[in-house]
Amino acid sequence: MSALVDPRLPVFTPEELATFSEFFYRHTGILFTSRKDYFVERRLAERMEATRSASFADYFTRLRFQPSGEELQNLVNLLTVNETYFYREDYQFKALVSGILPELARARPRGTPISLWSLPCSTGEEPYSIAMQILDGWDRADEFEIEIHGSDIDTRVLAEARRGVYGERALHRLAPDVRRRYFARHGTDDWRICEELRQSVEFSIVNLANPLDTRRFRGMDVIFCRNLLIYFDDLSRRKAVETLYDCLAPGGFLCLGHSESMSRMSSLFTARAFGETVVHQKPTQAEY
């Protein structure tokens, strides 16, 4: 049964939806198929009302030519999905502390940086999970300068990540002792992550499809980019993986989501098994 049409919504022609979807794809790498038409229409209608645009043409002109890019950011915030929780797919975090970090540490002196990057980081659960796993699971953490970066295209979720306040659902996989160590009650139903962890992650806005955003991330040792590429088409996936490859240091590791297959995107990486997961390693200089 088809969804009922909301009579309050503006009526968009197929050509208008195609024009918008192509514009959004070029700017973000995210492709909306016709199955997402109603979702896109509702968000477009919301922004047209907020900007008092008389027609799609008026709104699209604003979207394309606004110098600040503020309206595009408003749409990005509405159209991106942010579903996460602490210790999601934690087998990769276990691989990080039991295999990846020890391997990286063997190749460098004590006191040198080890850089990790989480994108999209959403409201911060992933980079904070990385920090907790390193503190709890890697006995050499104090010997190195651990740098953790969290990035997302959505400015609203970045503000929530910096705030560090979470509901019960986000914490449902955490053991009671982990909660006690890293969280404090915040109001009646929420929890706030400790100041030390909030200060340990540097958050920033990054659009993976924009080279100007990603060029400052070079020499990363480990990149977590999980469950993002499923929203891209084949061409965007290949470009994104090549960008992540450039951001990694030689010998660095890329962790993808469990449903994302590197074999369909790039042959640049070497597959490595660590425990229950497979990650993807950039060759060292000697292997170039």
Side-chain angles (χ1 to χ4, degrees), residues 7-287:
R8 297 169 296 179
L9 291 179
V11 176
F12 299 99
T13 68
E15 292 76 19
E16 288 171 340
L17 289 175
T19 296
F20 169 75
S21 295
E22 194 274 336
F23 170 84
F24 197 79
Y25 169 75
R26 282 191 289 106
H27 282 80
T28 66
I30 298 172
L31 182 66
F32 291 117
T33 65
S34 58
R35 290 182 302 170
K36 291 285 189 177
D37 279 355
Y38 185 66
F39 171 75
V40 172
E41 287 175 327
R42 289 184 64 87
R43 272 59 183 179
L44 280 174
E46 182 177 332
R47 291 310 308 163
M48 284 178 60
E49 181 179 1
T51 57
R52 299 181 180 178
S53 301
S55 66
F56 172 80
D58 289 342
Y59 178 73
F60 193 61
T61 298
R62 173 196 292 264
L63 190 64
R64 290 181 62 199
F65 299 113
Q66 185 181 49
S68 68
E70 180 182 357
E71 187 52 34
L72 177 58
Q73 185 63 60
N74 288 332
L75 263 180
V76 165
N77 292 356
L78 282 174
L79 289 168
T80 48
V81 177
N82 299 286
E83 175 67 22
T84 188
Y85 47 85
F86 286 94
Y87 286 14
R88 183 181 186 185
E89 297 180 17
D90 61 347
Y91 52 85
Q92 287 191 336
F93 302 141
K94 294 173 182 175
L96 174 71
V97 298
S98 65
I100 294 173
L101 289 176
E103 180 172 319
L104 290 170
R106 286 194 294 270
R108 65 190 67 193
R110 293 177 58 165
T112 56
I114 295 179
S115 300
L116 304 98
W117 188 21
S118 164
L119 82 156
C121 69
S122 187
T123 44
E125 287 92 333
E126 181 172 274
Y128 289 138
S129 293
I130 292 169
M132 290 188 289
Q133 289 277 352
I134 291 174
L135 289 172
D136 289 343
W138 192 37
D139 58 7
R140 298 190 63 190
D142 290 339
E143 298 178 25
F144 297 90
E145 184 181 339
I146 308 295
E147 301 173 348
I148 303 177
H149 304 269
S151 301
D152 204 284
I153 197 173
D154 186 333
T155 55
R156 294 183 307 174
V157 298
L158 287 171
E160 290 298 309
R162 294 185 182 100
R163 182 168 173 254
V165 175
Y166 300 96
E168 186 65 32
R169 187 187 181 284
L171 278 68
H172 76 275
R173 296 204 64 200
L174 299 185
D177 62 312
V178 175
R179 291 197 190 200
R180 286 193 296 270
R181 280 198 301 277
Y182 297 117
F183 294 84
R185 280 286 188 184
H186 186 81
T188 304
D189 301 318
D190 294 334
W191 299 77
R192 189 170 198 186
I193 201 162
C194 67
E195 179 71 15
E196 179 184 0
L197 285 186
R198 292 203 306 276
Q199 295 299 321
S200 72
V201 181
E202 179 183 332
F203 291 103
S204 61
I205 182 170
V206 168
N207 178 352
L208 188 54
N210 186 347
L212 294 178
D213 285 356
T214 58
R215 68 182 181 183
R216 69 181 184 272
F217 290 91
R218 290 292 184 269
M220 295 290 111
D221 293 300
V222 185
I223 298 177
F224 284 81
C225 184
R226 308 192 299 178
N227 306 311
L228 171 65
L229 302 182
I230 56 176
Y231 298 104
F232 290 10
D233 68 350
D234 289 343
L235 177 60
S236 294
R237 288 190 193 103
R238 287 194 295 271
K239 289 181 177 178
V241 166
E242 289 170 2
T243 295
L244 296 171
Y245 181 91
D246 291 339
C247 291
L248 280 169
F253 295 88
L254 172 63
C255 301
L256 298 177
H258 71 275
S259 64
E260 296 166 316
S261 173
M262 180 64 78
S263 63
R264 298 178 56 187
M265 294 183 282
S266 174
S267 60
L268 292 171
F269 292 85
T270 300
R272 295 283 309 279
F274 287 92
E276 301 176 26
T277 190
V278 173
V279 300
H280 310 281
Q281 186 174 28
K282 179 175 180 175
T284 62
Q285 294 284 7
E287 298 172 292

